Amino acid sequence: MTDLDGPARPTATGLTRVDLGFVAGSVVVGVVLRFVTTSPLWLDEALSVNIASLPVGDIFEALRHDGHPPLYYLLLHFWMELFGGGDVAVRALSGLFSVTTLPLAWIAGRRRGGVAGAAAVVLLMTIAPFSLRYATEARMYSLAPLVALAAWLIADDLRKAPDRRRWIALALLTGLLLLTHYWAIYLGIAAVILLGWRWARCGARDEAIRVGSALAAGAVLFLPWLPSFVYQATHTGTPWGTAARPTRVVLELSGGLGGGERFTEGPLFGLSILALATLGAFVVETTRHRLVLDVRTSTAVRPEVAIVAASLVVGVMAGLASNATFIARYAAVLVPMLFVAAGFGLATLPAAWPRRIVAVVVSLLACFGAYFNVSDARTQGEEVAVSINAGGGVGDVVVFCPDQLGPSTLRALDDGFDAVAVPTLERPDRIDWVDYAARNESASAGEIVAAILERAEGKTIWLVDALTYRTYEDLCPAVRQGLVGSRSADMVVSADSGVFEPATLIRFDP
């Protein structure tokens, strides 16, 4: 018997019909909300669609300049061939991934806490604003939890007994996860460290070899992509952010789980999940009115808590070493295991009414994130494009500073406009992140303004800008000032601070 299989775990009690009805109702609402949002695609989503729209052979080269692995983009490519590239269509793929994750969440929760544990895990994963956000976003952040949770369940089986089919399945899922998001690398490193620790401490040699060899075999599937990964690691990175300290990572993760930091209920939801996961990690006995905690942790969800904590440590250390930032969505490969631990913590509260009260409170906190996910605009790109379409003419020059405002706006911009981005003055359908900071910081605002004025002789100039983007802090204000000094200016659209991706639109007449 190993320390993961010991009997020291509390027992989650059963559920009433009212409890199951509450969970079932939440699941129905949560599934519907996975396909509902009113916002147009923002930058990252528009980039995903533009890259996935390329011929398959061109997708790989485009991604070398984008900084992501290829699996999601290939899946989106074939999905778009069937269903088109509209906002609803491309987001529906993510919604499908997210819904498919819920049955796996039930299985994982039931293994740890019986039916009560399964219901609690499914409830939390269903209502979590994190899950809703990335189910309604054309990105890989709902695919990653699906693959990660499937791999986790199979690894949990494989560590207990040899099974050739599960070994093959774990190897395949490992490779797919590595080709979905690079934070899977940190998850894999953490898993190997924990397997090694168990081998050394508990004598779990066979377990470590079975699971570890499957992970290694899965990593082989990543080898064809390795040269592109090395190139990306050398030339792209996250020039729009800075390395995050551990405390900042906790705050970012808490806010992200709840749908954002700009409203108080978001971080409160995230902190509630972290608190429930901590409770699940340490509670070893419950009675009607008591919880007994053990600093050595409970065996019930020790694997889940250990892998989440170890992966975050590895990821944060790597980020500090490489000056890469942390955004809550990067933890998508870890979120399922975190919710398993949190669901177990909820299910093992000592009496029915405390569990119900906590479940209702957490659900109410989640409602705020769900509401904002449905109603909030993620970008002003469409608003800007509508204004240009209404007031512009064929041949007018539309200038984007930074280029990151281009992809979302171009989706709604009519044909016939000459769209260019600072500093390259090329059409910003995609963003070339290669040596991004160096290119922007070395650009001459005077030369760019002169080129724009020459290009737009006799035509209206429309400047779409935002003055706070990293690596553009000096360049964009200087470009705006140069145009203001050359032509009369009229502010058409003002930046809305409540929008995730705000922008201003200024018109410069000939």
Side-chain angles (χ1 to χ4, degrees), residues 403 420-428 432 439-440 443 448 455 472:
D403 52 359
V420 298
V422 173
T424 62
L425 298 186
E426 297 176 355
R427 185 176 176 87
D432 186 355
R439 180 172 66 246
N440 295 336
I448 292 170
R455 189 169 188 146
Y472 278 96

Side-chain angles (χ1 to χ4, degrees), residues 307-324:
I307 197 68
V308 170
S311 299
L312 285 173
V313 169
V314 172
V316 170
M317 291 176 60
L320 291 173
S322 60
N323 197 36

Side-chain angles (χ1 to χ4, degrees), residues 23-111:
V23 174
S26 299
V27 169
V28 171
V29 174
V31 168
V32 172
L33 290 178
R34 277 161 168 72
F35 298 93
V36 179
T37 186
T38 57
S39 174
L41 304 188
W42 72 287
L43 166 65
D44 283 5
E45 296 180 276
L47 285 176
S48 295
V49 172
N50 291 346
I51 292 172
S53 299
L54 297 171
V56 170
D58 295 338
I59 290 176
F60 301 104
E61 179 59 29
L63 288 174
R64 280 170 58 88
H65 295 259
D66 182 75
H68 289 93
L71 179 60
Y72 171 77
Y73 298 87
L74 295 174
L75 295 176
L76 182 60
H77 173 88
F78 294 110
W79 178 268
M80 289 166 57
E81 287 191 347
L82 293 174
F83 301 105
D87 290 6
V88 174
V90 296
R91 284 171 168 163
L93 179 60
S94 296
L96 181 62
F97 291 144
S98 187
V99 170
T100 307
T101 306
L102 297 180
L104 300 182
W106 178 274
I107 296 171
R110 186 162 187 169
R111 286 186 183 185

Side-chain angles (χ1 to χ4, degrees), residues 48 68-69 72-73 94 137-145 180-181 332:
S48 295
H68 289 93
Y72 171 77
Y73 298 87
S94 296
E137 186 164 298
R139 298 286 281 155
M140 72 288 294
Y141 299 109
S142 64
L143 174 61
T180 299
H181 197 272

Side-chain angles (χ1 to χ4, degrees), residues 7 17 22 30 71 81 84 98 139 147 149 157 217 244 307 337 347-348 353 355 384 401 426 445 465 467:
R17 291 183 179 180
F22 178 74
L71 179 60
E81 287 191 347
S98 187
R139 298 286 281 155
V147 180
L149 187 54
D157 289 333
I307 197 68
M337 285 72 83
T348 53
W353 280 109
R355 286 199 304 274
V384 166
C401 192
E426 297 176 355
D465 72 356
L467 305 182

Side-chain angles (χ1 to χ4, degrees), residues 80-223:
M80 289 166 57
E81 287 191 347
L82 293 174
F83 301 105
D87 290 6
V88 174
V90 296
R91 284 171 168 163
L93 179 60
S94 296
L96 181 62
F97 291 144
S98 187
V99 170
T100 307
T101 306
L102 297 180
L104 300 182
W106 178 274
I107 296 171
R110 186 162 187 169
R111 286 186 183 185
R112 299 306 187 230
V115 173
V121 174
V122 169
L123 173 67
L124 295 179
M125 287 197 69
T126 297
I127 66 174
F130 183 96
S131 301
L132 298 177
R133 170 61 187 262
Y134 297 111
T136 57
E137 186 164 298
R139 298 286 281 155
M140 72 288 294
Y141 299 109
S142 64
L143 174 61
L146 172 61
V147 180
L149 187 54
W152 183 254
L153 289 171
I154 291 174
D156 188 50
D157 289 333
L158 187 60
R159 71 174 185 82
K160 298 172 184 176
D163 188 305
R164 181 178 299 177
R165 289 176 299 179
R166 284 184 171 85
W167 188 95
I168 293 173
L170 179 57
L172 177 61
L173 288 169
T174 298
L176 294 178
L177 191 58
L178 289 169
L179 292 170
T180 299
H181 197 272
Y182 291 138
W183 259 69
I185 296 173
Y186 305 143
L187 177 64
I189 293 172
V192 170
I193 291 172
L194 293 175
L195 288 170
W197 180 84
R198 284 181 41 72
W199 185 344
R201 183 178 178 85
C202 310
R205 174 182 177 274
D206 292 345
E207 171 190 323
I209 291 175
R210 284 196 301 271
V211 177
S213 62
L215 297 178
V220 172
L221 299 177
F222 185 74
L223 291 180

